[in-house]
Amino acid sequence: MSENERYKCYTHRSCEFFPCHSGADGERFNCLFCYCPLYALGRRCGGDYVYSPDGIKDCSGCLLPHKPESYAFIIGRYEEIMEIVKEQDQT
């Protein structure tokens, strides 16, 4: 990542939960999307998730938003996320 692209990755090493996913590489962990914006896409998010028996989406095994190289993928999905928000706001 070049010097003028540092906004794409932020590592909050002093966070009491860092790294928040077991098995994560603490040297390459991106905290920028701490709360994943792709969560709203449900099954279409593209990440590694499971649903619990009671229907709750569990993303604890997913590192997609925490990889520095995932920035473009996540930003590229924002139009889809905005459409979901529009639909919800109209109901």
Side-chain angles (χ1 to χ4, degrees), residues 23-24 31 35 43 47 51 56 61 63 77-78 81-82 89-90:
C31 301
Y35 292 96
R43 298 183 189 281
Y51 278 96
I56 297 171
L63 293 173
R77 305 293 299 273
Y78 265 82
I81 295 166
M82 288 187 301
D89 282 351
Q90 291 175 358

Side-chain angles (χ1 to χ4, degrees), residues 20-41:
C20 58
H21 292 261
S22 62
D25 179 357
E27 294 302 312
R28 295 187 22 105
F29 196 84
N30 187 0
C31 301
L32 184 64
F33 299 111
C34 177
Y35 292 96
C36 183
L38 303 177
Y39 185 89
L41 298 176

Side-chain angles (χ1 to χ4, degrees), residues 15-85:
C15 176
E16 61 270 26
F17 303 108
F18 181 81
C20 58
H21 292 261
S22 62
D25 179 357
E27 294 302 312
R28 295 187 22 105
F29 196 84
N30 187 0
C31 301
L32 184 64
F33 299 111
C34 177
Y35 292 96
C36 183
L38 303 177
Y39 185 89
L41 298 176
R43 298 183 189 281
R44 300 183 323 246
C45 72
D48 187 18
Y49 63 88
V50 295
Y51 278 96
S52 69
D54 51 340
I56 297 171
K57 188 176 177 186
D58 176 3
C59 305
S60 60
C62 182
L63 293 173
L64 177 68
H66 303 296
K67 295 177 181 178
E69 61 271 14
S70 294
Y71 179 86
F73 175 78
I74 292 172
I75 296 301
R77 305 293 299 273
Y78 265 82
E79 282 191 37
E80 200 174 341
I81 295 166
M82 288 187 301
E83 287 302 316
I84 290 171
V85 172

